[in-house]
Amino acid sequence: MSVLKLSSETISAQKNSDMGPMDTLLEVNENVTSEIFDRPFEEGQIEEISPRIFSLKDVRDSLTIPSLNNAIYELGVVNLCWPEISEPVFENRTCFPKSYYTNSPKERLLLGYAENFRQQFQFHYQARKPLLLQAPNECGLQKMVCTTIRPTKLCYADTNTWQGIAALVADYFDYEPLTKPMLHPERIMSPYTAIIRRSGNPFEIAHVLVSWLIGAGYDAYIVVGCAKRDVCMAIRYRTMCPDIPDEREIVEEIPPPEEEPRYRLVPLPDLNSKYCQQMDKKEKDKKQSELDNIVNERLRKIEDLEKPPHDEIDGWRTHAWILILPGNMGIEEPFFIEPSEGNGYPLDAKQYQHLDSVYNHENYYVNLQSCAEGLDSLKYDLANLSCWEHLLAGEPFHRRQMLGVDTADKRTAVDTEKHLDVPASWVEKLDISADEFEQRYPGSHKVIHYKKVILEKFSPYSQRDGIVKRVKIFDDYALTIPLLTYEWYKNRVDKMDTVKIDHVKKEILEKFGIGRKDHIIKHVYSIEAPVVSVEGVRTLEFNYYARLDHLTKLVCTPLTFDEHYTNREDRLESRMIVYTEGTKMEPKRQIKDITETYGRNHSVPAKDDVFKKIFHIQENTIELYYHYAYNFVTNDSRSYTKPNLAESGGKILYYPEKTSGYIADPCAKPPRPLNIYYALCENMEWEYKTNKHIRDRESDINGYLKQRHKELTEPLLFVALFDTERNEAAKKGWKEQETKRAEVTEREKEAEIDPLAPYLARMFGSGHGAGSPLSIKEATLVREQCINDFRAKQLARQNLVQERFDTLNDEYKSKRLWYLANQFILTPEKESAYFATSAELAFKVHALEVRLTRHRDLSEPRFKMLRDYLDKHPLLKEYNRMRHYYGVK
C-alpha cells in the first residue's frame, strides 16, 4: 500500500505540528446532567479518536482487512457491493421497513453517480477533505445523504417558523459529539430513529431539523464544514445565556418636530469662557480615558482567562449545521442555524470556519470558493456553476437554466432536460405525537450550562409546582455565589407566572396572571420577612379596575402600611399609616399617624377641597390641608384637637381655642364656627372608619399570606376539561361510562331469546325455563301453539303488505288514467303536482313490492330455523325422542 499523506499546502497550514501521531483531546458533553457541576474536570471526559490516514502523519501500517476498511471509511469511498441484510438489529429495535436494509435500483444508480463524482473531485482537488456523500445507516447499509432527508410538516404551535422548529429540535435531542472529530460520522441513522432515541450526532440532528424546515416551506440545506471546538462539542459555558430576561427600562424619546417654528426667541448670549470649557472638557476626557483604559485592561484580562484551551486540530473539526437561503417564507438574507442550540447566526459568525458542501433532498452542491476571508464572503447562488459544483446536473427543476427550450410546455421541457433526480426518501414520516411535543425534553428535564449561568428546562406537568424554566445566575465561574434566579411557571391554579429571587438583596418578586380572586398581579417581599404576618417588608400590586375599592398597591414594612388607589369616586389616592413599636406590656404595634391624600375636585372651590388629612392618633389631633388655588403659592390648612368624649358623655363639643387654621387668601371671609364644627364631626367619624378599615385590611392581608403560604407549599395545577390523561375526574367518569356500556353489552349477549318463553309462562307461569322437561302432552300443546302462531303471524304480515300494495297500486293506476285523459288541459302547476305525486306513489309501490317478495323468500327459511330450534330444545326432549322413535316428521 502506498503512503498516504496530505499535500504540502495542507501541512503548512497547521502550525506547531509534528509528523507523529497527535495526542487525543478530551472534552465534555454538556447535556449530561450529572456532569454539569464538575467544572474543574470538564475538559477531560470525552476521548477523541484521531484518524489513521487523514492526519498529519505517515501511514506505515501493514495492509490488513481492518486497515483497508479504515482507509475506505476515512476516504469516503462508496461501496458499490451491497450486502444482503435479512434481520437488521439496532440497539433494541429489530423491526425496520424494507427500505432501511435494501437499496432500490434508482438508489444504487445514484450511489454509482456519487462514487464517480467523488473520484473526479478527489482527482481535481487533492488538498480538500473527502466529501460526505454517503454514510451507513442504523442497519449498516450505505445510503446517499440526500435521501436521508424526509420533508415533513408539523402541525403544532410555533412550528410554522424556523425559530419554533429550531427550538423544538434543540430541546428534543441529547447531543452526541463525534468521537472522530476530523472525519465524517461513522454512521448517520435515519431521522426517525433519532427521534425515537431522542439523541444523535450533529449530522443526525441536522437531518431532523432540515426535514422539518423544508416541510414548513423554507429553502433549507445541511452544511458540511468545520467549526470551533465549543460548537462541535456543545460546550456553552463560554457563551452568554440567551434566556436571561432584559430588565432595562425602555425610555421613549420624544421625536423632534418635523417642521421648525416660524418664529423663535433669540437665545441669550453665552457668557461662559470658551477656554475654560475646553480645559474642563480636556480634564474630563483625560479622566474618562484613564477609566476606560482601566476597564478595557480588566476586560482584556477577563477575556484572556476565558479563552478556550489550545486546540491542536482547530480548523479541522467536522460539523454540520443548517443554511437558510432567501426566497421562501419571507427570508430576505441567508443565515445559519445551529441545530444543537436552536439559534440563528449571521454568515460572518466566528464559530463556523470552513464550508465544504451543502445538500438537501434535491441535490448535492460542493463549494468551490475559498473560505479564507470568512463564510460571509461566499456567494450563495447555487445555480452559479463557477462557485458550486452539482452532483446531479439538472436538479432541482426550479433551478434549471433551460436556454432555448419552450418552458410553457412542461412535458417538453422535462423531456428535453431530463436528468437523474434524487429518489424518494427511504425514511419513515418524521411525525411526533402531541404528548412527545409537550414532553419535549429527554426525561422531561434538560440542563444547559452557560457562562456563570445554569439554565434548566422542564416539561409541563412534569414538576409538582408547575415550573417550566429556571435560570440561575452566579457571580463566580465555580457557581458557588448565586446572584439571581428566574423561574417561569405554567398551569398553576394560583395564576403565578414568574418568580425572581435576588440573593443579594434577599428579595423575591412574584408575578401573577389575570384571574385571581384577590386580583393581585405582583408580590415583592423580603426573604427574611415573616411568612404569614403583615409586619414585614413586602409590596403587593393589584389589578385595580377589577376591584371594587380600586386598590392599586400596598407597601408594608414593620412600622408602616401604605395604600395606593386609582380612579376612586371619593378621589382618595393614598393612605399611609405609621405604627409605634411594640412593648412588653403591649407587644402588638399601635397606630401612630394616618395620612390620606386626595385628588382635585374641580367642582368645589380649592379652599373647600381637602388635599391631605393627617390623623395623629396618639396626640389626639387632626390636621387638614386644602388644595392650592389658582395663582397661589400657599394653601389653606386647619388643625383640630379632639375633645375628650369620656368627659362630655360621648358628645362632640366645640371649643374655639382647640382649633386653628390658616387662610391663604387675605381677602376671604373666615369660615363660620358651625362649618368648622361640622368638619370636626365629619373627620372624627372618618377617623373611626379609617381605623376599622386598617384593621380589616391587615386581617385580609394576613389571610392572603396564609393562603399564599399554602399555595407555595401545596401547589395545585390546572388541568383542562378535555385532557383525559390528567383530568382525574373526567377519566373516572369516562371509565365508569365504559364499564356501564360493557355491562349492558354483556347482558345483551347473555340474554338469549326463547320462542317458547311466552307459552311456558302462559301455561306454568314465569321461570319455568330452568325446570324439568315437559311431558309429551304438554310439549305437543306448546309446540303446536308456537308453530301455529308463527304461521299466523307470517300470514298476517304478508296479507297486510299485500293489502297496502294493492291499495297504492290501484291509486297509482287511477291517477295515471286521469292524467292520460286530462293531460292536454292541465296547467303547468297541476302537471308538476301530478308528476310529484305520481313519483312518490311509484316509489311506495316499488318498496312494498320488494318487501313482499323478500317476505315470501324468507318465510320458508325462517320456519325451518324455528323447527330446527324446537327439535333441539331441552324442554321438548321427551317429545322429540318419541317423534324420532316413531319416525314422525
Side-chain angles (χ1 to χ4, degrees):
M1 179 179 179
S2 61
V3 178
L4 299 177
K5 56 185 178 180
L6 294 176
S7 65
S8 58
E9 178 183 355
T10 306
I11 296 176
S12 62
Q14 300 292 333
K15 298 180 180 180
N16 301 325
S17 61
D18 52 352
M19 296 303 294
M22 295 182 296
D23 296 333
T24 57
L25 296 178
L26 303 178
E27 292 289 355
V28 60
N29 185 357
E30 287 253 292
N31 292 306
V32 181
T33 307
S34 60
E35 301 174 355
I36 289 298
F37 302 98
D38 196 9
R39 173 178 286 276
F41 305 100
E42 279 182 341
E43 300 292 338
Q45 296 182 8
I46 291 183
E47 183 178 357
E48 295 179 342
I49 303 174
S50 59
R52 298 177 56 83
I53 294 178
F54 190 69
S55 62
L56 304 180
K57 65 176 183 179
D58 293 329
V59 179
R60 303 185 184 278
D61 298 339
S62 58
L63 181 60
T64 61
I65 296 298
S67 63
L68 182 60
N69 291 334
N70 183 74
I72 292 175
Y73 154 65
E74 294 192 8
L75 295 176
V77 178
V78 181
N79 185 8
L80 300 181
C81 297
W82 296 276
E84 294 184 1
I85 303 174
S86 57
E87 297 180 356
V89 178
F90 178 72
E91 296 180 348
N92 296 328
R93 188 183 180 191
T94 58
C95 183
F96 290 91
K98 188 176 181 181
S99 60
Y100 277 61
Y101 55 88
T102 58
N103 277 326
S104 64
K106 192 171 183 179
E107 287 180 309
R108 297 184 179 186
L109 178 61
L110 181 61
L111 288 172
Y113 266 63
E115 173 59 18
N116 181 37
F117 182 83
R118 186 199 66 80
Q119 293 178 5
Q120 295 186 46
F121 181 83
Q122 199 68 26
F123 175 78
H124 290 287
Y125 302 95
Q126 299 181 5
R128 295 278 296 269
K129 292 176 63 175
L131 298 177
L132 176 65
L133 293 169
Q134 55 77 31
N137 63 359
E138 58 265 40
C139 297
L141 184 67
Q142 285 189 352
K143 291 287 187 177
M144 174 63 184
V145 291
C146 294
T147 61
T148 310
I149 300 174
R150 173 69 184 268
T152 305
K153 171 65 175 176
L154 297 179
C155 57
Y156 301 109
D158 300 331
T159 57
N160 292 325
T161 62
W162 70 265
Q163 294 91 340
I165 299 175
L168 172 62
V169 172
D171 296 338
Y172 196 85
F173 293 95
D174 279 334
Y175 185 81
E176 298 177 358
L178 298 175
T179 56
K180 298 180 179 180
M182 293 177 61
L183 302 177
H184 298 311
E186 296 179 342
R187 59 110 171 102
I188 299 181
M189 60 185 174
S190 68
Y192 182 81
T193 304
I195 292 175
I196 295 176
R197 295 177 72 244
R198 305 293 292 266
S199 64
N201 60 41
F203 288 85
E204 294 163 347
I205 297 178
H207 277 90
V208 177
L209 178 55
V210 78
S211 299
W212 284 345
L213 287 173
I214 295 175
Y218 289 92
D219 191 10
Y221 300 82
I222 293 180
V223 181
V224 181
C226 299
K228 292 284 187 180
R229 180 179 60 174
D230 287 0
V231 178
C232 297
M233 304 299 296
I235 298 175
R236 304 179 191 173
Y237 60 78
R238 297 187 185 96
T239 59
M240 301 299 296
C241 179
D243 290 73
I244 298 178
D246 187 5
E247 297 182 341
R248 293 176 298 180
E249 296 184 359
I250 301 176
V251 180
E252 297 183 359
E253 296 182 358
I254 301 176
E258 298 180 358
E259 297 182 1
E260 295 185 358
R262 184 175 181 182
Y263 302 100
R264 290 187 301 175
L265 296 175
V266 178
L268 296 176
D270 187 7
L271 302 179
N272 295 323
S273 174
K274 303 295 183 183
Y275 175 77
C276 293
Q277 290 180 354
Q278 292 178 1
M279 295 303 295
D280 292 342
K281 184 178 179 182
K282 286 183 180 180
E283 187 66 23
K284 290 181 180 179
D285 293 343
K286 183 179 179 181
K287 292 181 180 180
Q288 186 64 34
S289 178
E290 293 176 355
L291 293 175
D292 292 343
N293 292 334
I294 294 173
V295 172
N296 292 335
E297 182 65 20
R298 179 175 174 271
L299 294 177
R300 187 188 64 80
K301 290 181 179 180
I302 294 175
E303 185 178 358
D304 292 340
L305 293 174
E306 292 177 350
K307 280 184 179 180
H310 175 66
D311 187 9
E312 296 183 358
I313 57 174
D314 185 42
W316 290 93
R317 290 181 177 271
T318 303
H319 191 58
W321 63 96
I322 304 299
L323 168 66
I324 303 293
L325 293 183
N328 296 340
M329 303 297 292
I331 303 299
E332 299 179 356
E333 295 292 336
F335 63 93
F336 295 137
I337 299 177
E338 177 54 43
S340 62
E341 300 177 5
N343 299 326
Y345 293 95
L347 299 179
D348 58 351
K350 300 300 181 184
Q351 62 264 37
Y352 301 121
Q353 300 171 318
H354 190 76
L355 190 152
D356 291 329
S357 59
V358 300
Y359 63 90
N360 62 357
H361 65 297
E362 296 175 327
N363 207 341
Y364 191 97
Y365 309 91
V366 180
N367 179 30
L368 303 180
Q369 307 168 75
S370 174
C371 300
E373 298 181 1
L375 301 188
D376 57 330
S377 63
L378 302 182
K379 298 179 180 179
Y380 290 92
D381 182 10
L382 301 181
N384 190 346
L385 298 180
S386 62
C387 300
W388 300 90
E389 185 66 41
H390 298 193
L391 171 65
L392 302 178
E395 285 296 325
F397 177 80
H398 62 273
R399 295 191 184 278
R400 294 181 184 177
Q401 297 180 357
M402 294 180 289
L403 301 177
V405 179
D406 185 12
T407 57
D409 187 359
K410 292 187 176 181
R411 182 178 183 83
T412 304
V414 171
D415 292 340
T416 305
E417 292 289 331
K418 190 173 183 180
H419 298 276
L420 175 65
D421 58 347
V422 177
S425 178
W426 53 275
V427 180
E428 299 175 77
K429 187 178 180 180
L430 308 181
D431 204 357
I432 59 177
S433 63
D435 292 338
E436 291 173 338
F437 177 78
E438 188 177 18
Q439 307 293 328
R440 59 196 301 167
Y441 308 108
S444 301
H445 180 206
K446 196 166 190 176
V447 180
I448 304 176
H449 189 179
Y450 289 98
K451 179 180 176 181
K452 298 183 180 181
V453 175
I454 291 180
L455 172 63
E456 298 179 82
K457 296 182 178 181
F458 306 87
S459 299
Y461 297 103
S462 63
Q463 302 298 313
R464 177 172 169 265
D465 56 355
I467 188 172
V468 294
K469 186 167 66 172
R470 180 186 291 119
V471 177
K472 296 180 180 179
I473 305 175
F474 297 86
D475 188 44
D476 59 335
Y477 295 95
L479 308 180
T480 58
I481 306 176
L483 295 179
L484 292 172
T485 299
Y486 295 93
E487 296 177 348
W488 287 262
Y489 295 86
K490 281 186 178 181
N491 306 312
R492 284 185 63 114
V493 175
D494 59 1
K495 303 294 182 181
M496 185 169 68
D497 288 338
T498 61
V499 174
K500 176 187 175 183
I501 305 175
D502 193 331
H503 300 279
V504 178
K505 298 180 180 179
K506 295 184 178 181
E507 187 178 81
I508 299 177
L509 167 62
E510 298 175 348
K511 292 184 178 180
F512 303 87
I514 302 298
R516 286 181 61 92
K517 293 182 179 180
D518 50 18
H519 305 290
I520 189 171
I521 57 177
K522 185 184 293 186
H523 185 191
V524 185
Y525 58 96
S526 174
I527 298 178
E528 300 175 351
V531 178
V532 293
S533 176
V534 74
E535 299 180 11
V537 179
R538 64 180 72 249
T539 302
L540 296 90
E541 295 185 11
F542 300 88
N543 182 19
Y544 74 90
Y545 56 82
R547 294 179 62 96
L548 295 178
D549 57 357
H550 282 223
L551 179 63
T552 304
K553 184 168 66 172
L554 283 176
V555 181
C556 307
T557 64
L559 296 178
T560 61
F561 189 85
D562 301 342
E563 297 179 336
H564 299 270
Y565 298 90
T566 303
N567 296 336
R568 278 177 64 110
E569 292 184 0
D570 58 359
R571 304 179 316 283
L572 177 63
E573 294 181 349
S574 66
R575 179 183 288 117
M576 302 178 184
I577 302 97
V578 180
Y579 298 87
T580 58
E581 294 185 3
T583 60
K584 292 183 179 181
M585 299 296 296
E586 186 66 33
K588 188 176 181 180
R589 63 181 184 176
Q590 299 296 322
I591 299 177
K592 181 181 178 182
D593 297 324
I594 302 176
T595 303
E596 296 180 348
T597 59
Y598 294 83
R600 181 74 171 92
N601 184 5
H602 296 281
S603 61
V604 178
K607 63 183 183 62
D608 298 329
D609 191 10
V610 177
F611 162 64
K612 182 185 294 185
K613 294 180 181 181
I614 303 176
F615 302 99
H616 300 284
I617 305 299
Q618 298 183 358
E619 297 177 4
N620 211 26
T621 60
I622 300 175
E623 294 184 10
L624 301 178
Y625 294 92
Y626 296 87
H627 281 275
Y628 287 85
Y630 178 74
N631 221 10
F632 277 76
V633 295
T634 59
N635 59 332
D636 292 7
S637 64
R638 181 161 296 279
S639 62
Y640 298 93
T641 300
K642 295 186 293 184
N644 192 343
L645 298 181
E647 296 178 355
S648 60
K651 296 181 180 181
I652 301 177
L653 301 179
Y654 174 67
Y655 300 98
E657 66 275 5
K658 291 186 178 182
T659 179
S660 62
Y662 168 76
I663 301 176
D665 187 1
C667 300
K669 295 181 180 180
R672 297 174 58 191
L674 183 60
N675 294 337
I676 297 175
Y677 173 73
Y678 285 158
L680 174 61
C681 296
E682 180 183 352
N683 284 282
M684 289 183 65
E685 183 181 0
W686 182 254
E687 179 185 346
Y688 172 78
K689 292 182 180 179
T690 303
N691 274 287
K692 184 177 182 302
H693 165 79
I694 292 170
R695 296 307 180 189
D696 294 342
R697 181 73 75 191
E698 289 178 349
S699 301
D700 293 343
I701 298 302
N702 287 332
Y704 161 75
L705 294 177
K706 292 179 182 179
Q707 177 66 22
R708 187 76 196 118
H709 179 66
K710 183 179 180 181
E711 292 172 351
L712 292 175
T713 54
E714 302 176 6
L716 298 177
L717 300 183
F718 171 77
V719 179
L721 177 63
F722 300 101
D723 190 354
T724 56
E725 293 298 325
R726 299 188 181 93
N727 195 325
E728 296 298 331
K731 187 188 297 186
K732 183 179 179 180
W734 174 73
K735 288 184 178 180
E736 290 178 354
Q737 291 180 0
E738 288 293 328
T739 303
K740 292 180 181 179
R741 198 178 296 114
E743 291 176 355
V744 172
T745 304
E746 191 66 24
R747 286 198 301 267
E748 291 177 353
K749 290 181 180 179
E750 294 177 355
E752 183 178 357
I753 300 176
D754 188 1
L756 296 182
Y759 305 99
L760 296 174
R762 186 190 310 165
M763 184 178 296
F764 305 102
S766 60
H768 188 78
S772 59
L774 302 177
S775 63
I776 296 177
K777 183 178 180 181
E778 294 172 343
T780 304
L781 181 61
V782 170
R783 187 175 184 276
E784 292 299 327
Q785 286 181 357
C786 180
I787 292 177
N788 292 335
D789 287 348
F790 178 79
R791 288 176 174 173
K793 187 175 182 179
Q794 294 292 320
L795 183 60
R797 184 178 298 174
Q798 178 179 348
N799 294 336
L800 178 62
V801 176
Q802 183 68 45
E803 181 181 355
R804 292 179 179 175
F805 172 78
D806 294 339
T807 302
L808 292 177
N809 193 26
D810 293 342
E811 184 178 356
Y812 174 75
K813 290 180 178 179
S814 62
K815 282 188 174 293
R816 179 66 178 171
L817 294 175
W818 174 82
Y819 173 73
L820 293 176
N822 302 286
Q823 61 179 339
F824 299 106
I825 59 175
L826 293 177
T827 62
E829 292 79 7
K830 291 184 178 181
E831 189 174 12
S832 299
Y834 161 75
F835 282 123
T837 306
S838 179
E840 183 178 359
L841 287 174
F843 173 76
K844 291 181 179 180
V845 169
H846 176 70
L848 289 172
E849 184 179 5
V850 172
R851 186 175 180 183
L852 184 61
T853 304
R854 186 172 181 273
H855 178 76
R856 290 173 179 172
D857 295 340
L858 294 179
S859 294
E860 188 63 26
R862 288 173 179 171
F863 180 72
K864 186 176 182 304
M865 290 176 60
L866 176 63
R867 293 190 60 179
D868 293 342
Y869 176 80
L870 295 177
D871 291 344
K872 298 178 182 180
H873 201 284
L875 297 180
L876 306 179
K877 184 177 181 181
E878 292 295 329
Y879 174 81
N880 293 327
R881 186 176 63 82
M882 293 300 298
R883 286 180 62 251
H884 289 297
Y885 179 79
Y886 289 105
V888 179
K889 296 183 179 179

